Amino acid sequence: MKIGFNFTLGETLPLVRSLLASGRIDYVELLIDNFLAIPEEELAAGFDVPVGFHIMFSKFIENDAVALDSLASRLRRLIDRMSPLYVSDHVARFTHDGRQLYHLAEIDYAADYGRVRERVDWWQQRLGRRLFLENYPSILDGGHDAPAFFERLCRDTGCGVLFDASNAVCAHLNCGVPLEAWDGIIDAASHFHTAGYNLSILQPHLVLDTHDRALSDATMAFLESRRERFDTPGATMTYERDDNFDELDIASDLDRLRALFADDAVAPPVERAAP
Amino acid sequence: MTVMTQGRAERLIDANLLEALTVPARQGDYPRESRAFVRIDTSLRIYWHTLFDICPGLLELSSPDGLSIFRPFMAWAADEGLSLNWTYYLWVDVWLRRSPFAGRVTPELRLSLIGASAARWATGDRSEAGGIVLSGLDAADLVCGWKARSIDAGRQIERIELEDPLPAAPEPFGFFTVPGGELDGGFPGWTPIPR
Ligand SMILES: [Fe+2]
């Protein structure tokens, strides 16, 4: 299992460099649409390890074709130049009636299927690459439809799933989607995410995908219970952190992941020279 | 809202709440102890933090919880169908100037709102443009937002005072975008900010 860390731009660069230097991560996942004003050469030379491309704000299900065409042509140049390990995007609602949702909403998997399928076909074609689509951290009952939705979408469009293990744990805790419901998707997937989550301020508590703390015991247990399903040749696991950038805390989670997926469970992290 | 029908809870999905996720008053449509209520609360809190964490000066005008600004602004924004895109802070400025707080809105507070919108454009815009220029407090006073141009840098916000003012911008604000990272391409004319 290759272990990676997300980089969204700017202030966490020293942290990412330090995680690379200590051998704790093997690749960097770039929130690629944040980097589009950076000269291509600089971006391509930015890391001497592989990168993953995570597209955050294409809004490819909702956005107009002109804006998406422009975005796709710029992404495509970077894809051709940097050959990322994967190109991923999100199945979620970013707007409603033209109004921006700051906490992304879950789509209606039944009602929206046709539109999403059409858009995935089109967006993959524009990007010239197979897309890996991330599962949403479900809060309400619609989450029960997600596993079958993704299986059908993969069958119909040839896309893959970027399976976020802790998002599945959120959905399990929030609305009882059984973790086993994802087993077919995990078997077919090679690219994974995991992160810490937190409880809502108000009760009854919701489990929110906050990326601001250590992995939960439930997430670790989920990964352990399916270690062989996750860890197949070419598999990647990105540890996401978007707040509370405590390096010791992050390093300890990365070490836990590395130990879990190590061929020989006691292998220490490899020291690598700082770039 | 969870309604019992024929012995089983009715299914509630996220898409059922779309109308309420941006409108504080709609939260009251759901029982306080329901998951829908907390889901809407979670959504609204992000708008709150996006506003008050970035422009804490607003809290000096309002009650310490900010709700005397937040709730009426969000209600007005819903009535007006505002997109709450990068112009969020600019429309807060517009609302404030027509609100009971109008007499206490300082130029510094207004500039923090204008700068916050420029920053939000610079981090969120996905077009080919490299920067945005916003009309500031007057036609000689511009606020620019520049997208990050290096992997170890963030977006930059810059206030520019012109010796020769540009033509007056449309009310409430005008903007134009520039291709690269500098203000050297001349003045293409103002576009009114989107709603
Ligand atoms: Fe994720």
Side-chain angles (χ1 to χ4, degrees), chain A residues 207-243:
Chain A
V207 182
L208 304 172
D209 178 36
T210 46
H211 301 180
D212 63 348
R213 63 197 55 231
L215 297 175
S216 72
D217 292 346
T219 298
M220 284 306 291
F222 178 41
L223 296 174
E224 264 169 50
S225 70
R226 287 157 174 80
R227 186 184 176 283
E228 271 77 35
R229 288 179 188 269
F230 282 103
D231 195 5
T232 53
T236 66
M237 173 72 74
T238 305
Y239 178 83
E240 296 182 283
R241 182 64 77 101
D242 293 309
D243 205 352

Side-chain angles (χ1 to χ4, degrees), chain A residues 29 54 90 134-135 137 162-167 192-195 209 211 238 240 242:
Chain A
E29 182 187 272
H54 198 45
H90 294 77
E134 180 169 358
N135 53 305
L162 173 80
F163 180 69
D164 189 313
S166 30
N167 285 2
F192 304 102
H193 269 184
T194 193
D209 178 36
H211 301 180
T238 305
E240 296 182 283
D242 293 309

Side-chain angles (χ1 to χ4, degrees), chain A residues 7 35 46 60 115 181 195 206 215 255:
Chain A
F7 179 47
F35 293 82
F60 75 92
R115 163 111 180 127
L206 305 176
L215 297 175
D255 289 348

Side-chain angles (χ1 to χ4, degrees), chain A:
Chain A
M1 178 71 79
K2 282 192 170 65
I3 310 272
F5 187 74
N6 69 317
F7 179 47
T8 51
L9 189 64
E11 63 188 25
T12 59
L13 186 62
L15 169 65
V16 174
R17 294 238 185 271
S18 165
L19 296 173
L20 281 168
S22 64
R24 285 199 163 83
I25 55 172
D26 307 304
Y27 70 96
V28 179
E29 182 187 272
L30 303 177
L31 197 159
I32 192 63
D33 42 324
N34 265 354
F35 293 82
L36 295 173
I38 293 168
E40 258 174 62
E41 311 70 52
E42 182 187 331
L43 187 54
F47 299 99
D48 58 3
V49 292
V51 292
F53 280 7
H54 198 45
I55 306 172
M56 187 67 230
F57 289 111
S58 72
K59 311 177 189 176
F60 75 92
I61 301 169
E62 301 164 25
N63 215 340
D64 66 84
V66 174
L68 286 170
D69 262 329
S70 153
L71 181 59
S73 67
R74 285 171 284 144
L75 288 169
R76 221 172 151 145
R77 276 204 307 275
L78 291 173
I79 291 168
D80 290 344
R81 178 152 191 163
M82 296 173 70
S83 307
L85 294 164
Y86 54 86
V87 178
S88 56
D89 207 322
H90 294 77
V91 172
R93 283 197 75 128
F94 292 81
T95 59
H96 170 61
D97 272 349
R99 310 193 71 212
Q100 207 162 305
L101 299 171
Y102 286 16
H103 187 285
L104 303 187
E106 186 163 38
I107 67 162
D108 179 338
Y109 294 109
D112 298 341
Y113 183 77
R115 163 111 180 127
V116 174
R117 179 199 163 156
E118 186 190 305
R119 279 294 173 131
V120 170
D121 276 335
W122 183 81
W123 191 225
Q124 289 193 122
Q125 197 206 331
R126 302 314 301 154
L127 292 172
R129 277 283 291 245
R130 184 179 187 207
L131 256 183
F132 294 86
L133 295 167
E134 180 169 358
N135 53 305
Y136 181 90
S138 305
I139 294 172
L140 299 174
D141 301 332
H144 285 276
D145 299 335
F149 168 92
F150 280 102
E151 280 176 2
R152 184 178 174 201
L153 189 65
C154 292
R155 251 192 337 265
D156 289 351
T157 67
C159 75
V161 175
L162 173 80
F163 180 69
D164 189 313
S166 30
N167 285 2
V169 173
C170 289
H172 175 64
L173 297 172
N174 282 327
C175 49
V177 181
L179 293 171
E180 306 80 69
W182 296 101
D183 282 344
I185 282 169
I186 300 170
D187 287 343
S190 299
H191 303 299
F192 304 102
H193 269 184
T194 193
Y197 49 71
N198 196 9
L199 296 179
S200 60
I201 304 218
L202 297 188
Q203 293 183 5
H205 283 312
L206 305 176
V207 182
L208 304 172
D209 178 36
T210 46
H211 301 180
D212 63 348
R213 63 197 55 231
L215 297 175
S216 72
D217 292 346
T219 298
M220 284 306 291
F222 178 41
L223 296 174
E224 264 169 50
S225 70
R226 287 157 174 80
R227 186 184 176 283
E228 271 77 35
R229 288 179 188 269
F230 282 103
D231 195 5
T232 53
T236 66
M237 173 72 74
T238 305
Y239 178 83
E240 296 182 283
R241 182 64 77 101
D242 293 309
D243 205 352
N244 294 330
F245 296 103
D246 177 328
E247 186 166 352
L248 284 177
D249 188 50
I250 292 167
S252 121
D253 262 352
L254 290 167
D255 289 348
R256 287 206 285 168
L257 288 173
R258 203 167 270 286
L260 173 60
F261 290 112
D263 296 330
D264 123 26
V266 289
V270 185
E271 288 294 327
R272 182 186 292 151

